[in-house]
Amino acid sequence: MSILTPRTHAAGRSRLVAFDHGAHLAAWSVDGISRVWLSEHAVLDGSAAIRGGVPICFPWFGGGPQGGLQPSHGLARTATWRPTDVVDSEVWAWALSSDDVAGDPGTEHLPGPFLLRYAVSLDVPAEVLTLALRVTNTGEQDYWAEVALHTYLGVDDVRDVQILGLEGAEYLDKTTGRREQQDGPLVLVGETDRVYDRSGPMLVEDRAALLHHDVRPSGATQTVVWNPWAEKTAGMRDLGDDEWLRFVCVETAATGDGALQVPAGGTVEVSCGLSQHPSPTS
């Protein structure tokens, strides 16, 4: 297979890289510092999902509400999206319909006909990135859909990261299968795969870099926090042995009981604003 052709955009202090494969924002850096992280081992030939950046999960997350659905995280992240017209501060916009993926593996599990529009916007000079996924139900029956913007935030060392904004939230710990309640700020100390029943503003403090990510979701119902840690990374061909140290996934999500109802003929939107600032203590 040939290597995918990237789209690049430079404005102000920002540089963005994206692909039509998955409508995938692959990387975002400001002054050369990675804010949205891409693996050096990412598969970029179109044969698989891209490791890093912001994969789009739709219309199911993981293996779906009951598990077992393929491809993992749905059809959208490995489909070839169609570029479409941009408006206002949008850098890129893409569209994907159920007709575009007709016959692809997994289409038998689609909840109904859809039209997706996904846009990447950049506010210069504020260096604020906004990602927005719009889901339109083009059918005659309401349905539920799982959605996630699977954002890989770049950090110096995930072991020195603290996430504020999830205090007191209930979550499903997918590494144990148990439901828990977050006690204080979240500090990652091992493999982490949690679905929090909260979606709201968060600060991801990268204490080693004396920076923090400001994450502002909208239209979602949940937050997913994920990092595979060292042992699981060893079995992943698209992650280098030490690359788990360089990111934390903080995902704008609506999954399981928190999935979005998309009314017949109606539209719902999930979005996330990202920015980074010096930590107050720096």
Side-chain angles (χ1 to χ4, degrees), residues 187-274:
V187 178
L188 283 68
V189 296
E191 180 187 350
T192 303
D193 191 356
R194 299 181 179 183
V195 182
Y196 285 85
D197 298 332
R198 180 183 294 174
S199 179
M202 286 167 285
L203 287 180
V204 180
E205 294 189 343
D206 183 1
R207 293 180 290 189
L210 298 179
L211 296 169
H212 67 261
H213 295 271
D214 190 352
V215 181
R216 295 189 173 272
S218 178
T221 60
Q222 299 166 324
T223 300
V224 177
V225 180
W226 180 77
N227 183 284
W229 229 249
E231 184 176 352
K232 192 167 185 177
T233 295
M236 302 171 71
R237 70 186 181 99
D238 54 0
L239 268 181
D241 289 346
D242 296 326
E243 285 194 313
W244 62 275
L245 293 165
R246 305 298 170 224
F247 71 86
V248 59
C249 288
V250 179
E251 308 172 37
T252 300
T255 75
D257 291 341
L260 299 181
Q261 185 176 29
V262 192
T267 297
V268 297
E269 182 173 288
V270 171
S271 66
C272 183
L274 302 172

Side-chain angles (χ1 to χ4, degrees), residues 26-270:
W28 174 39
S29 60
V30 178
D31 296 330
I33 298 173
S34 174
R35 295 191 178 181
V36 171
W37 178 89
L38 177 67
S39 171
E40 293 183 1
H41 299 265
V43 178
L44 299 178
D45 63 7
S47 65
I50 297 170
R51 176 69 64 188
V54 187
I56 298 171
C57 305
F58 175 90
W60 57 81
F61 183 81
Q66 282 75 50
L69 296 186
Q70 292 292 332
S72 180
H73 290 317
L75 302 164
R77 69 175 187 155
T78 53
T80 300
W81 292 53
R82 294 175 280 110
T84 191
D85 293 340
V86 298
V87 297
D88 300 326
S89 61
E90 292 176 353
V91 177
W92 300 297
W94 295 267
L96 184 74
S97 74
S98 44
D99 289 340
D100 294 328
V101 296
D104 289 357
T107 51
E108 66 273 20
H109 302 300
L110 293 179
F114 63 81
L115 175 63
L116 306 181
R117 185 181 189 274
Y118 180 64
V120 174
S121 302
L122 181 66
D123 179 358
V124 179
E127 311 297 347
V128 176
L129 190 73
T130 302
L131 311 171
L133 177 66
R134 187 181 304 162
V135 182
T136 298
N137 179 348
T138 57
E140 299 179 353
Q141 301 290 330
D142 298 354
Y143 58 71
W144 296 85
E146 294 186 299
V147 177
L149 302 177
H150 197 311
T151 308
Y152 286 71
L153 298 175
V155 297
D156 267 16
D157 188 333
V158 71
R159 297 169 299 184
D160 203 13
V161 164
Q162 176 175 261
I163 301 176
L164 307 175
L166 297 171
E167 296 87 340
E170 293 187 357
Y171 65 90
L172 171 64
D173 187 336
K174 296 178 75 172
T175 68
T176 65
R178 296 195 299 266
R179 291 196 63 84
E180 308 279 356
Q181 185 174 38
Q182 182 62 41
D183 181 15
L186 171 58
V187 178
L188 283 68
V189 296
E191 180 187 350
T192 303
D193 191 356
R194 299 181 179 183
V195 182
Y196 285 85
D197 298 332
R198 180 183 294 174
S199 179
M202 286 167 285
L203 287 180
V204 180
E205 294 189 343
D206 183 1
R207 293 180 290 189
L210 298 179
L211 296 169
H212 67 261
H213 295 271
D214 190 352
V215 181
R216 295 189 173 272
S218 178
T221 60
Q222 299 166 324
T223 300
V224 177
V225 180
W226 180 77
N227 183 284
W229 229 249
E231 184 176 352
K232 192 167 185 177
T233 295
M236 302 171 71
R237 70 186 181 99
D238 54 0
L239 268 181
D241 289 346
D242 296 326
E243 285 194 313
W244 62 275
L245 293 165
R246 305 298 170 224
F247 71 86
V248 59
C249 288
V250 179
E251 308 172 37
T252 300
T255 75
D257 291 341
L260 299 181
Q261 185 176 29
V262 192
T267 297
V268 297
E269 182 173 288
V270 171

